[in-house]
Amino acid sequence: MLILSESQIRSLYSMSDAIQDLEAALIHNLDGKVMNPHRTVLDFPEKEASALYMPSSMEPVGKSAVKVVTIFPQNPSVGKKTTQGVILLSDTENGEHLACINASYLTRLRTGAVSGIATKHLAKKDASSVAVIGTGAMAEEQLQAVLEVREIKEIMLYNRTKEKTRMFEKRIEELSPGYTGSIAIMDHPDQAVSKADIVICATRSETPVFSGRSLQPGTHINGVGSYLPHMQEVGEETVLKCSKIVVDTIEGVKNEAGDLIIPAEKGLWNFSHLHGELGELASGKIIGREDNEEITFFKSVGIAYFDLAVAAAVYEKALKIGVGTQVEI
């Protein structure tokens, strides 16, 4: 079995790779060549913790995977990470277990990549400014993906904690050394959003992080932070202003995306208003942006076969290059 760490994955697999591999995976799913059962959740109430098991398989790549993620909120008090994850990759031809891969970075990478695919189809072709609301770890790959698909000249950052924003600014210089545009730290999220062609929301907020009134015509929004029914980083005012809302999976957002569930429960909006799923957009089954005035929104809560797509690609690349540690099990 091959063991791959985060640093090893970073050394051999890029955002461009992930976007390409996920575009292919979206088409495979649309063609019915992906199995993606419901995840299993084990709760540990005494620790306020949980473990999530997410299986999937993809016929064209001949691989299956199970991602295991544990969330233990009390861990920082004993010097451990709150969230820890691994992906077990197996061969669907002979059942051999091929690799155990760090899941934390790959999860962020594939989440960024699907936003990149959505941005490619929904943002204005000449979009040149991006607002990043929430500058935690997830936002790094979100921004990388946008930089991959659009020629960005202006980045505006907002986080409730200014120090985190300054740290994120330094990370941009490390992760995207080719970026030559401006970077500004904003005092208010509406200030950033009002000047942006693309808005990235990557927070765990339970209330909207910017006002829908601050959006300019032609804005595209990627919402990836809120992933539970009570979370709502993108408010109903924004949802109602959007001419096209595309989601990673309709089933997923109906169960997990508070951004859409809350306005639906209030009777302000209905899931029948969705433009469609990302796979339909990537395949051309549904149309992307049609003019420079419409406001568009991509909402992602994630699905297991996204992890499988990147894990399988990383494994194949690692074998070719000779990266990773082989162990007997």
Side-chain angles (χ1 to χ4, degrees):
M1 176 182 284
L2 186 68
I3 309 296
L4 287 166
S5 67
E6 177 174 329
S7 61
Q8 289 167 332
I9 296 166
R10 284 182 182 272
S11 73
L12 60 88
Y13 195 69
S14 69
M15 178 58 72
S16 176
D17 293 330
I19 289 174
Q20 181 177 326
D21 292 327
L22 279 159
E23 283 180 321
L26 287 163
I27 306 302
H28 294 328
N29 183 60
L30 208 60
D31 292 340
K33 296 178 180 178
V34 171
M35 286 194 293
N36 204 101
H38 289 294
R39 69 185 183 189
T40 297
V41 180
L42 304 179
D43 290 317
F44 310 108
E46 70 280 2
K47 295 285 187 179
E48 300 178 321
S50 57
L52 288 68
Y53 298 82
M54 293 161 276
S56 62
S57 69
M58 195 177 300
E59 179 188 325
V61 300
K63 305 286 189 301
S64 66
V66 179
K67 183 168 84 166
V68 182
V69 176
T70 54
I71 305 168
F72 279 66
Q74 298 173 17
N75 269 5
S77 65
V78 293
K80 295 184 182 295
K81 293 181 179 180
T82 298
T83 304
Q84 301 168 78
V86 295
I87 297 170
L88 174 65
L89 188 69
S90 304
D91 191 314
T92 57
E93 293 296 319
N94 55 32
E96 182 183 0
H97 300 306
L98 302 171
C100 185
I101 304 171
N102 177 284
S104 299
Y105 172 63
L106 271 188
T107 299
R108 299 196 307 272
L109 188 72
R110 59 82 158 159
T111 305
V114 293
S115 291
I117 295 167
T119 302
K120 185 165 67 170
H121 292 277
L122 293 173
K124 293 184 295 185
K125 295 295 183 187
D126 62 352
S128 61
S129 58
V130 57
V132 182
I133 312 300
T135 56
M138 184 70 78
E140 292 181 10
E141 288 72 29
Q142 290 296 312
L143 181 57
Q144 276 187 305
V146 168
L147 293 175
E148 191 69 38
V149 300
R150 287 294 183 270
E151 190 173 338
I152 299 299
K153 299 174 183 176
E154 184 180 11
I155 298 171
M156 294 160 287
L157 307 176
Y158 174 79
N159 196 83
R160 287 182 302 176
T161 307
K162 275 278 181 75
E163 184 57 36
K164 279 192 174 182
T165 316
R166 295 188 189 97
M167 290 169 62
F168 189 84
E169 183 180 16
K170 292 177 183 176
R171 287 291 289 161
I172 295 172
E173 295 167 2
E174 294 171 13
L175 295 170
S176 303
Y179 177 69
T180 58
S182 66
I183 304 173
I185 295 174
M186 314 303 276
D187 294 322
H188 195 278
D190 286 356
Q191 183 187 7
V193 169
S194 67
K195 298 177 180 179
D197 296 319
I198 299 167
V199 176
I200 295 169
C201 287
T203 76
R204 294 183 179 182
S205 180
E206 297 181 7
T207 55
V209 294
F210 66 87
S211 166
R213 292 187 299 277
S214 64
L215 286 167
Q216 297 301 306
T219 305
H220 170 65
I221 306 153
N222 291 321
V224 300
S226 57
Y227 57 91
L228 293 172
H230 69 280
M231 291 179 169
Q232 190 188 22
E233 62 179 355
V234 175
E236 45 260 63
E237 185 178 13
T238 296
V239 169
L240 294 173
K241 290 183 77 170
C242 293
S243 58
K244 289 186 176 74
I245 300 177
V246 175
V247 299
D248 52 2
T249 69
I250 292 174
E251 181 183 10
V253 297
K254 280 185 172 180
N255 291 320
E256 298 175 1
D259 295 335
L260 301 176
I261 291 170
I262 292 170
E265 288 180 343
K266 289 181 178 179
L268 300 173
W269 180 85
N270 193 285
F271 281 98
S272 64
H273 297 156
L274 288 174
H275 186 54
E277 292 188 342
L278 185 61
E280 296 173 307
L281 190 64
S283 69
K285 287 190 72 173
I286 59 174
I287 196 166
R289 175 172 289 274
E290 295 179 84
D291 60 60
N292 280 347
E293 297 297 305
E294 61 182 337
I295 295 173
T296 57
F297 178 28
F298 172 62
K299 179 61 191 176
S300 175
V301 293
I303 189 166
Y305 83 85
F306 291 170
D307 300 293
L308 168 58
V310 291
V314 163
Y315 170 74
E316 296 295 341
K317 202 164 186 179
L319 282 186
K320 287 180 183 177
I321 299 173
V323 172
T325 305
Q326 290 281 1
V327 297
E328 291 290 332
I329 57 169

